Amino acid sequence: MFYQPDMSGFEERLPGIFMKVLSYGDNSMLCEFHLKQGAVIPAHQHPQEQTGYMVSGSLRFFGEVGEMVVVAGSSWSFKGGVIHGAEVLIDSVVIEVFSPVREDYLP
C-alpha cells in the first residue's frame, strides 16, 4: 500500500481531533492526526500498542503512566491496555503507529 500526501479524507473522531489512516498492512497501521488547541482525548485503553511522533505543536499526556508534556520532535509508546489520554495545548500534528491494526480506524 502506498500513500501520497493529500489533505482530504480526515475524519473528526472527537471534537477537535481529526484522523486519517495513511497506510496499513496485516500487523500495523500508520495514522496522521490534526489536533486543535483545547481538544481533549479522554482517558481510554485499547489492546494495540501505540507509538507516536509529534510533528508540530504540544500535548499533555495523562493516565496510568503519569503526566508528560510533549513538543515537536518528541515521541512516545504506550503498551496495549495502558490507560492514557491527552489534552491539546497548541494546534498539533501527530503521526502514530498502532499494532496490531485498529479495526475501528480502518477506512
Side-chain angles (χ1 to χ4, degrees):
M1 175 179 222
F2 294 97
Y3 169 77
Q4 293 294 329
D6 176 351
M7 289 307 295
S8 67
F10 282 88
E11 176 185 338
E12 190 168 19
R13 302 291 298 188
L14 293 167
I17 307 295
F18 299 86
M19 186 213 72
K20 179 178 185 175
V21 174
L22 300 179
S23 59
Y24 61 93
D26 291 336
N27 300 304
S28 64
M29 168 180 276
L30 182 67
C31 299
E32 181 175 349
F33 292 85
H34 291 202
L35 313 162
K36 297 298 181 188
Q37 182 176 358
V40 175
I41 301 169
H44 65 285
Q45 62 181 338
H46 42 76
Q48 294 83 1
E49 184 172 82
Q50 174 180 343
T51 300
Y53 176 77
M54 174 70 67
V55 176
S56 63
S58 181
L59 301 176
R60 179 182 67 86
F61 282 111
F62 55 87
E64 256 182 77
V65 295
E67 186 173 310
M68 173 65 72
V69 172
V70 295
V71 297
S74 298
S75 61
W76 54 87
S77 188
F78 298 115
K79 292 181 181 183
V82 171
I83 297 171
H84 60 285
E87 174 189 9
V88 184
L89 303 176
I90 300 172
D91 285 358
S92 300
V93 175
V94 169
I95 302 295
E96 291 194 300
V97 174
F98 296 91
S99 180
V101 170
R102 283 194 64 156
E103 300 287 332
D104 57 325
Y105 281 4
L106 286 174

